Amino acid sequence: MSSRHFTPLAAGLPQTVPFVGPEAIERRVGQPIRARIGANESNFGPSPRVIAAMQAAAPEIWRYGDPEVHLLRSALARHLGVPHANVVVGEGIDGLHGLIARLVIAPGDVAVTSLGAYPTFNYHVTGFGGRISFVPYAGDREDLEGLLAATRREERCKVVYLSNPDNPMGSWWSAADLEAFIAAVPEHVLILLDEAYCETAPAGTLPDLDSARPNLIRTRTFSKAYGLAGMRVGYGIGEAGFIAGFDAVRNHFGVTRMGQVAALAALEDQAWLTEVVQRITAARDRIGAIAADSGLVALPSATNFVAVDCGRDGAYALAVLKALEARGVFVRKPMAHPLDRCIRISAGLPADLDILADELPRALKAADGA
Amino acid sequence: MSSRHFTPLAAGLPQTVPFVGPEAIERRVGQPIRARIGANESNFGPSPRVIAAMQAAAPEIWRYGDPEVHLLRSALARHLGVPHANVVVGEGIDGLHGLIARLVIAPGDVAVTSLGAYPTFNYHVTGFGGRISFVPYAGDREDLEGLLAATRREERCKVVYLSNPDNPMGSWWSAADLEAFIAAVPEHVLILLDEAYCETAPAGTLPDLDSARPNLIRTRTFSKAYGLAGMRVGYGIGEAGFIAGFDAVRNHFGVTRMGQVAALAALEDQAWLTEVVQRITAARDRIGAIAADSGLVALPSATNFVAVDCGRDGAYALAVLKALEARGVFVRKPMAHPLDRCIRISAGLPADLDILADELPRALKAADGA
């Protein structure tokens, strides 16, 4: 369906929902999900202090949020040790990625990314008339050499996207490897470094914050370890001139008042974050053990999920996913070969993983017979 | 400040905050606002049932919102009596206006609007490389004849924006006048009818919902009479092919889980809405009386604010606004001549208007001496 009123660019875009939400699965399957461990949400929830702050803010929700997001932006700058002018807050990382694509991609421009990586930046690049140049993963990690080569090979390359730690595989590079990559990327190419999972990464994974570098912007979020996926608050760290550009294109009142309240309270409770990260680590280990009990291999992970290699091809892994779904276990999976041999399981509560432990062997049996 | 990474279009855009928020005024002035009656928020608050629903949802905020916004979209469709496929939910009307501009404006295309009308759609049109063709108000109302003539005169006109009831003047046209306008606009021109203030309009103001018309999209919001400005939930009603186009460009997880919960609860409490509208009507009358006590004329209003004619030029009205601001009274004003002779006062609580009643005479005296 389309409309004669659309621009030629808009009329040519596919209508899509990048991820099918668990609620949509429930509507389709006709039964509730028993273990919601597919969207890399934080089933451990936000800090109790965050919940209290949100509940206290509810009666004041008739007020618009501060369009300058001043308190949260300042708190983030202090927390990160960078100037206020180097931080932008947006409607989740997805919202920021849309704005970044808009700022840097003119029709015909190229973005380099890994084949099978998080697709939302690609969606926005295509949406602004850009082209994606895909680089295959290598050894279940984003291929830094390959990405670098593509930024040099593609004449109209404007941006290279990579995530560290990586989604959907959970793999990561060391800070030193990343720093060498960053130094080697041509200066005219923007590096969009997605650190959505930075809180769960081992020490030595995150490059130092160099907010003066003109061709680097990093994105982080309150949706993962902080447990605020339902509020959509993400932030970017970059050079001040780049950050200022958001004020030319953003939805100025887009970050909700409640989101600002919640994120600020979340940032202030680092003890909760520490505790959640410990629980995530334990859950990753448990997922590994559950996988091993069924003869499957869990990949090492620096994130709040684990990619589990189902040991055969993508069709088989998809059959496993469908069989889990039919049993009320919501997981997701990479779709690009060769990542597609895996299913991706989020670090859930012990009760969620009990259900997984029960149902995975049955799902594998069902997939075998499929 | 800019960045070499920006597209030529993005590099040429002004960095702006369309409206200075009251929090920014407080930071600048160094004292709290005593009467927050400038942003057309609903100081009466959301329904107590909405507050309860939000508080109950806070612990579940680790879950992403439904990207299909299914429950709210269905409830809106039922409430409005239009098919589900004709409704889109977005991150406030501002967010929807940005997406509409993106869908219909290619560089060089033209949008027709009234000089001094709500500026956010203009911001987005400019942001996508479009040009604005301004039509002056006539008699403090948007000039339907003038807007119509401009849609015919401007060769690259793609869209005409108007609001009914109108912001910032509070004026309105009858449904019959609007219907005649809609019928007369050339079919290749999209009509963007902003009905942010529809809940406070008198009977006979809103054209019947004709969701099959290909060149009409209407936008409404939970930010005004429903009292949810801080949650950013707006919706659009339009032809199904146009509505489907949003799925090609929107931030699919952008409408927060909390916003969906709050808006759904708000829609279900129509008794609260009725009560708020009565309080708004009383507040409008009171603002009129306060203005008259100082020899000023309040314009008739179909919205949750009142434009008060300060009786002289724009500089004088600005001096009145500044004098009110110095006294802790936050109001706004139109900036385009001849609307700029007015200040715009939102329907506040009786306590807010008590402060206004105290401070307006003093502010006028201060402005006289300025």
Side-chain angles (χ1 to χ4, degrees):
Chain A
M1 295 179 80
S2 189
S3 163
R4 67 179 283 187
H5 299 286
F6 294 159
T7 67
L9 173 59
L13 296 175
Q15 284 148 22
T16 181
V17 172
F19 295 100
V20 177
E23 289 81 5
I25 294 172
E26 289 178 330
R27 287 190 291 272
R28 175 166 48 77
V29 175
Q31 61 183 28
I33 287 168
R34 297 163 57 211
R36 183 170 164 132
I37 47 176
N40 302 344
E41 298 161 327
S42 188
N43 300 29
F44 310 100
S47 153
R49 291 195 211 172
V50 170
I51 295 170
M54 292 178 73
Q55 289 173 335
E60 298 299 313
I61 207 62
W62 56 272
R63 300 174 183 229
Y64 283 102
D66 176 8
E68 300 176 18
V69 199
H70 184 81
L71 292 178
L72 177 58
R73 201 177 164 193
S74 301
L76 279 167
R78 278 194 307 275
H79 179 73
L80 299 165
V82 301
H84 186 99
N86 297 87
V87 178
V88 62
V89 179
E91 295 125 301
I93 285 181
D94 286 358
L96 289 169
H97 285 179
L99 296 174
I100 292 167
R102 183 171 162 195
L103 285 170
V104 306
I105 295 292
D109 285 342
V110 170
V112 167
T113 189
S114 300
L115 180 62
Y118 186 67
T120 305
F121 185 64
N122 301 354
Y123 162 78
H124 290 300
V125 167
T126 305
F128 288 103
R131 180 169 66 78
I132 317 288
S133 177
F134 290 107
V135 176
Y137 275 63
D140 294 327
R141 293 207 287 188
E142 299 207 42
D143 179 2
L144 296 184
E145 287 299 318
L147 291 167
L148 185 59
T151 65
R152 291 171 174 161
R153 187 177 62 242
E154 291 283 359
E155 276 186 29
R156 292 197 58 180
C157 180
K158 292 294 296 292
V159 55
V160 55
Y161 169 87
L162 77 166
S163 59
N164 191 55
D166 166 73
N167 179 14
M169 300 308 281
S171 57
W172 68 102
W173 289 94
S174 72
D177 288 328
L178 253 294
E179 280 161 8
F181 173 83
I182 290 166
V185 169
E187 286 182 5
H188 71 277
V189 173
L190 179 72
I191 304 159
L192 172 49
L193 175 58
D194 187 350
E195 301 182 318
Y197 298 95
C198 62
E199 295 88 3
T200 47
T205 303
L206 308 178
D208 284 342
L209 285 169
D210 175 8
S211 62
R213 189 174 189 91
N215 72 330
L216 175 63
I217 184 159
R218 300 159 79 152
T219 51
R220 299 181 175 183
T221 182
F222 287 91
S223 295
K224 301 301 175 188
Y226 284 109
L228 287 173
M231 283 317 305
R232 312 303 298 139
V233 185
Y235 57 103
I237 309 148
E239 183 262 334
F242 195 98
I243 295 296
F246 287 96
D247 270 343
V249 295
R250 70 190 181 94
N251 179 7
H252 287 269
F253 287 83
V255 180
T256 66
R257 184 179 196 85
M258 187 63 87
Q260 296 182 40
V261 166
L264 193 58
L267 194 65
E268 286 170 354
D269 193 351
Q270 291 294 311
W272 177 260
L273 181 69
T274 302
E275 186 180 328
V276 166
V277 170
Q278 288 167 352
R279 292 198 206 172
I280 288 170
T281 306
R284 286 196 310 235
D285 291 346
R286 174 102 194 272
I287 293 168
I290 292 169
D293 284 346
S294 286
L296 307 184
V297 175
L299 275 56
S301 169
T303 64
N304 74 345
F305 62 85
V306 178
V308 172
D309 186 339
C310 292
R312 301 194 207 169
D313 64 1
Y316 177 71
L318 185 62
V320 174
L321 177 143
K322 289 286 174 191
L324 283 170
E325 183 179 290
R327 287 161 176 77
V329 179
F330 164 57
V331 302
R332 285 200 176 123
K333 71 180 298 301
M335 296 307 287
H337 181 75
L339 318 182
D340 62 347
R341 71 191 192 283
C342 297
I343 57 174
R344 198 195 66 178
I345 304 172
S346 304
L349 298 172
D352 298 319
L353 300 186
D354 289 346
I355 295 170
L356 177 70
D358 279 352
E359 298 295 355
L360 182 61
R362 294 175 195 151
L364 291 168
K365 195 168 291 179
D368 279 333
Chain B
M1 296 179 79
S2 189
S3 164
R4 67 179 284 188
H5 299 287
F6 294 161
T7 67
L9 172 59
L13 296 175
Q15 283 147 23
T16 182
V17 173
F19 295 101
V20 177
E23 289 80 6
I25 294 172
E26 289 178 332
R27 288 191 291 272
R28 174 165 50 76
V29 175
Q31 62 182 28
I33 287 169
R34 298 163 56 209
R36 183 170 164 133
I37 47 176
N40 302 344
E41 297 161 328
S42 188
N43 300 28
F44 311 100
S47 152
R49 290 193 211 174
V50 170
I51 295 170
M54 292 177 74
Q55 290 173 336
E60 298 298 313
I61 208 62
W62 57 272
R63 300 174 183 229
Y64 283 101
D66 177 8
E68 300 176 19
V69 199
H70 184 81
L71 292 178
L72 177 58
R73 200 177 165 194
S74 300
L76 279 165
R78 279 195 306 275
H79 179 74
L80 299 165
V82 301
H84 186 98
N86 297 87
V87 178
V88 62
V89 178
E91 296 125 300
I93 285 181
D94 286 359
L96 289 170
H97 284 180
L99 295 174
I100 292 168
R102 183 172 162 194
L103 285 170
V104 306
I105 296 292
D109 285 342
V110 170
V112 167
T113 189
S114 299
L115 180 62
Y118 186 67
T120 304
F121 185 63
N122 301 354
Y123 162 78
H124 290 300
V125 167
T126 305
F128 288 102
R131 180 169 65 78
I132 316 290
S133 177
F134 289 108
V135 176
Y137 275 65
D140 295 327
R141 293 207 287 188
E142 299 206 44
D143 179 2
L144 296 184
E145 287 299 320
L147 291 167
L148 185 59
T151 65
R152 291 171 174 160
R153 186 177 63 241
E154 292 282 1
E155 276 187 27
R156 292 197 57 179
C157 181
K158 292 293 297 292
V159 55
V160 55
Y161 169 87
L162 77 165
S163 59
N164 191 55
D166 166 72
N167 180 13
M169 300 309 281
S171 57
W172 68 102
W173 289 95
S174 71
D177 288 328
L178 252 295
E179 280 161 7
F181 173 82
I182 290 166
V185 169
E187 286 182 7
H188 71 278
V189 173
L190 178 73
I191 303 159
L192 172 50
L193 175 58
D194 187 351
E195 300 181 318
Y197 298 95
C198 62
E199 295 88 2
T200 47
T205 303
L206 307 178
D208 283 342
L209 285 170
D210 175 9
S211 62
R213 189 175 188 90
N215 72 331
L216 175 63
I217 184 158
R218 301 159 79 150
T219 52
R220 298 181 176 182
T221 183
F222 287 91
S223 295
K224 300 302 175 187
Y226 283 109
L228 286 174
M231 283 317 307
R232 313 305 295 140
V233 185
Y235 56 103
I237 309 147
E239 182 262 335
F242 195 97
I243 295 294
F246 287 96
D247 270 342
V249 294
R250 71 190 181 95
N251 179 8
H252 288 269
F253 287 83
V255 180
T256 66
R257 184 178 196 86
M258 187 63 88
Q260 297 183 39
V261 165
L264 193 58
L267 194 66
E268 286 170 353
D269 193 351
Q270 292 292 312
W272 177 259
L273 181 68
T274 302
E275 186 180 328
V276 166
V277 170
Q278 289 168 352
R279 292 197 207 173
I280 288 170
T281 306
R284 286 196 311 234
D285 291 345
R286 175 103 193 272
I287 293 168
I290 292 168
D293 284 345
S294 287
L296 306 184
V297 175
L299 275 57
S301 170
T303 63
N304 74 344
F305 62 85
V306 178
V308 172
D309 187 340
C310 292
R312 300 194 208 169
D313 64 3
Y316 177 71
L318 186 60
V320 174
L321 176 143
K322 288 287 174 189
L324 284 170
E325 182 178 290
R327 286 161 176 78
V329 180
F330 164 57
V331 302
R332 285 200 176 122
K333 70 180 297 301
M335 296 307 287
H337 181 75
L339 318 181
D340 63 347
R341 71 193 192 282
C342 297
I343 58 173
R344 197 196 68 177
I345 304 172
S346 303
L349 299 173
D352 298 318
L353 300 185
D354 289 345
I355 295 170
L356 177 71
D358 279 352
E359 298 296 355
L360 183 60
R362 294 174 195 153
L364 291 167
K365 193 168 292 178
D368 279 334

